[in-house]
């Protein structure tokens, strides 16, 4: 060990001498012991100092801190992203998607990181020629959103986790799910009147369906520059279902209506559950081809669940596939929330119109349930109409909770699941209608 240390010391000494000689060049030692440096060596040393200074300057300028100082909007966006992280972790507001979205916002608003370049997707098109020299990690991930891949894969998982039995047992639920889409089209008209383009108005209105993947799918097709604000609004309002819906439900119903007890649903056979996704896919796709990608993927996942012969595939799409796609979708959608796209009056308008659409959708389902009661012998509890929005199963649980607050013996959950799953179908159909007119 001592010899090794000795040899290492000798090598370091030789290297130091070599570097010194190289640095001093033709320096000579005078008789008085001073070192004389030739003019050429002085120039070399000066050039070296300049190069070091330039390198240090370039290094400092490449730091993200400089970008933060130059543009305060980056700081604002990072603060907003951190607030969303807090809501996802501490308040548990839709954490599975809100957390990746918030972290995607952090990544895209780090100056100099080069994760996402909006110019590669300018004008609603993918500019492939710029990918070789400019694209960052999130640019490649965002292709799954831009090409409509992630939302459809999410729908396969949603279908595999959905039980359409309550809807099959009570077909009236389909009407309630359709009525809850009122908010989408009413907000579309309102946003158009306020100056939004038809494509932007449609993308804003779809927030009322309370269906995140559908909102992302439609917005990526019609108004990709609004994807960040619309995704954040859609998932934020979905998380706030227990806060937004109860006041509307109580305002539109009487105490007696909220106490209505509904009959137990009939059993649904396995054959019905298998035929339902096949028949519905064919009918809706023939009537509205633009809705086929979302409806087809939703029903494929459900058929995997109900047929009972591909259990391994069903578990995969419910878990591994769903989780992986959720991560990629969240990060890439969050990355579109740049300062230019987010910090403007249009974003504020989207947030206001989005909650308006959501409230109108809730009201639409409740009002239609009350209208049906006028012509039906078997009364339905209007509270289940509020579950017609697509927030599964949260909206159904809210109907159950509000109903039990008036009548503890009342169990509305399974009845509310009918309109709730109908809302998933309804929002996909609404997106297809808007695409067919505006796409």
């Amino acid at each position: 060990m001592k010899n090794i240390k000795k040899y290492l010391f000798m090598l370091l000494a030789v290297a130091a001498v070599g570097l010194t000689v190289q640095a001093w060049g033709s320096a000579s030692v005078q008789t008085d012991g001073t070192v004389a440096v030739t003019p050429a060596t002085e120039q070399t040393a000066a050039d070296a100092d300049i190069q070091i200074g330039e390198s240090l300057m370039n290094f400092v300028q490449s730091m993200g801190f400089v970008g933060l100082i130059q543009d305060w909007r980056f700081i604002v966006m990072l603060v907003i992203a951190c607030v969303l992280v807090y809501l996802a972790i501490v308040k548990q507001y839709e954490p599975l998607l809100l957390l990746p979205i918030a972290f995607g916002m952090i990544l895209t608003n780090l100056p100099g990181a080069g994760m996402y370049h909006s110019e590669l997707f300018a004008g609603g098109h993918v500019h492939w020629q710029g990918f070789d020299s400019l694209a960052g990690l999130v640019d490649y991930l965002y292709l799954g959103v831009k090409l409509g891949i992630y939302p459809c894969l999410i729908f396969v998982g949603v279908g595999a986790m959905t039980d359409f039995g309550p809807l099959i047992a009570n077909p009236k639920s389909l009407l309630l799910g359709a009525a809850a889409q009122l908010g989408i089209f009413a907000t579309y008209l309102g946003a158009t009147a306020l100056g939004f383009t038809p494509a932007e108005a449609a993308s804003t209105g779809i927030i009322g369906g309370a269906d995140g993947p559908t909102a992302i799918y439609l917005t990526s097709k019609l108004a990709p520059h609004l994807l960040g604000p619309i995704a954040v609004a859609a998932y934020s309002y979905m998380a706030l279902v227990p806060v937004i819906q109860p006041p509307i439900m109580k305002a539109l119903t009487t105490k007696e209506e909220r106490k209505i007890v509904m009959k137990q649903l009939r059993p649904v056979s396995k054959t019905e559950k298998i035929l339902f996704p096949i028949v519905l896919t064919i009918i809706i796709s023939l009537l509205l081809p633009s809705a086929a990608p979302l409806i087809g993927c939703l029903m494929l996942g459900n058929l995997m669940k109900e047929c009972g012969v591909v259990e391994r595939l069903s578990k995969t799409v419910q878990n591994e596939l769903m989780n992986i796609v959720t991560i990629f979708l969240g990060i890439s959608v969050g990355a579109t929330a740049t300062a230019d796209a987010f910090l403007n009056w249009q974003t504020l308008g989207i947030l206001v119109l989005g909650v308006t659409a959501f409230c109108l959708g809730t009201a639409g389902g409740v009002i239609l349930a009350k209208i049906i009661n006028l012509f039906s012998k078997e009364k339905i509890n209007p509270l289940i109409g509020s579950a017609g929005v697509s927030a599964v199963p949260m909206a159904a649980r809210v109907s159950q909770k509000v109903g039990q607050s008036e009548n503890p013996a009342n169990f509305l959950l399974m009845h509310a699941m009918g309109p709730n799953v109908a809302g998933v179908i309804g929002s996909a159909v609404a997106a297809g209608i808007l695409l067919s007119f505006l796409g």
Side-chain angles (χ1 to χ4, degrees):
M1 181 62 70
K2 290 182 178 180
N3 290 332
I4 293 175
K5 290 181 178 179
K6 181 178 179 181
Y7 294 143
L8 287 174
F9 179 78
M10 291 175 62
L11 287 172
L12 290 173
V14 171
V17 171
L19 290 173
T20 304
V21 171
Q22 184 178 3
W24 285 96
S26 57
S28 59
V29 180
Q30 303 299 318
T31 55
D32 59 356
T34 60
V35 179
V37 182
T38 62
T41 304
E42 290 178 352
Q43 182 63 39
T44 302
D47 292 342
D49 289 340
I50 292 173
Q51 290 176 358
I52 292 173
E54 290 179 351
S55 298
L56 287 174
M57 184 62 67
N58 291 335
F59 174 71
V60 171
Q61 290 178 346
S62 68
M63 288 183 176
F65 291 106
V66 176
L68 292 179
I69 295 171
Q70 292 175 343
D71 193 342
W72 57 268
R73 297 180 303 167
F74 286 120
I75 299 176
V76 175
M77 291 303 300
L78 289 174
V79 170
I80 294 173
C82 290
V83 170
L84 294 178
V85 170
Y86 169 82
L87 294 176
I89 296 175
V90 179
K91 299 298 183 180
Q92 298 185 10
Y93 288 170
E94 290 291 330
L96 293 180
L97 257 168
L98 196 57
L99 182 62
I101 286 175
F103 205 81
M105 289 177 65
I106 292 176
L107 293 177
T108 200
N109 288 288
L110 294 174
M115 293 281 194
Y116 173 75
H117 301 84
S118 58
E119 57 267 32
L120 292 177
F121 307 97
H125 305 288
V126 180
H127 300 281
W128 298 103
Q129 66 274 13
F131 264 73
D132 291 340
S133 59
L134 193 61
L137 172 63
V138 181
D139 292 312
Y140 290 102
L141 294 180
Y142 181 69
L143 289 173
V145 177
K146 184 61 185 171
L147 301 177
I149 298 172
Y150 296 155
C152 291
L153 291 179
I154 290 283
F155 258 53
V156 176
V158 170
M161 294 187 291
T162 301
D163 180 11
F164 287 106
L167 174 59
I168 299 171
N170 184 13
K172 292 179 186 176
S173 301
L174 196 59
L175 296 176
L176 299 178
Q181 310 313 311
L182 167 68
I184 295 176
F185 296 101
T187 303
Y188 166 77
L189 296 175
T192 304
L194 291 175
F196 284 76
T197 66
E200 292 172 343
S203 300
T204 302
I206 200 67
I207 297 173
D211 188 337
T214 300
I216 291 171
Y217 181 82
L218 183 67
T219 305
S220 66
K221 298 291 185 183
L222 297 181
H225 58 288
L226 298 181
L227 187 57
I230 286 175
V232 170
Y235 283 103
S236 297
Y237 295 144
M238 285 171 62
L240 292 173
V241 164
V243 177
I244 297 174
Q245 284 197 322
I248 300 171
M249 296 159 68
K250 291 179 180 179
L252 295 176
T253 57
T254 64
K255 193 167 186 178
E256 289 71 25
E257 287 175 326
R258 294 195 292 271
K259 288 182 177 180
I260 293 176
V261 177
M262 299 178 64
K263 288 171 137 186
Q264 186 175 357
L265 294 172
R266 70 171 180 85
V268 178
S269 68
K270 183 176 180 179
T271 302
E272 289 177 291
K273 289 187 175 183
I274 292 175
L275 290 175
F276 179 79
I278 299 173
V279 173
L280 198 70
T281 299
I282 294 173
I283 292 175
I284 292 181
S285 298
L286 290 176
L287 289 174
L288 197 62
S290 56
L294 291 176
I295 290 294
C297 289
L298 178 70
M299 294 305 160
L300 171 62
N302 187 250
L303 183 60
M304 288 179 179
K305 171 182 179 290
E306 300 296 352
C307 70
V309 296
V310 288
E311 186 176 351
R312 189 172 66 184
L313 297 182
S314 178
K315 288 182 178 179
T316 298
V317 297
Q318 291 180 51
N319 297 288
E320 289 84 1
L321 180 63
M322 188 82 160
N323 292 336
I324 292 170
V325 175
T326 296
I327 294 171
F328 290 168
L329 177 68
I331 292 175
S332 51
V333 166
T336 64
T338 59
D340 289 333
F342 207 89
L343 296 180
N344 52 60
W345 289 108
Q346 191 176 46
T347 297
L348 181 60
I350 288 171
L351 295 175
V352 174
L353 289 169
V355 73
T356 302
F358 191 80
C359 293
L360 290 175
T362 301
V366 175
I367 292 171
L368 181 62
K370 290 167 68 74
I371 293 174
I372 291 175
N373 280 343
L374 297 176
F375 305 97
S376 177
K377 292 181 180 180
E378 292 185 8
K379 304 299 182 183
I380 61 178
N381 193 314
L383 294 178
I384 70 171
S386 66
V389 296
S390 184
V392 180
M394 192 181 301
R397 290 174 180 166
V398 171
S399 298
Q400 163 77 6
K401 184 177 179 181
V402 175
Q404 280 200 324
S405 67
E406 300 291 351
N407 181 4
N410 202 0
F411 296 94
L412 297 174
L413 182 60
M414 291 309 296
H415 297 283
M417 283 302 298
N420 209 181
V421 297
V424 181
I425 299 172
S427 63
V429 170
I433 293 172
L434 292 171
L435 271 177
S436 65
F437 279 95
L438 304 172

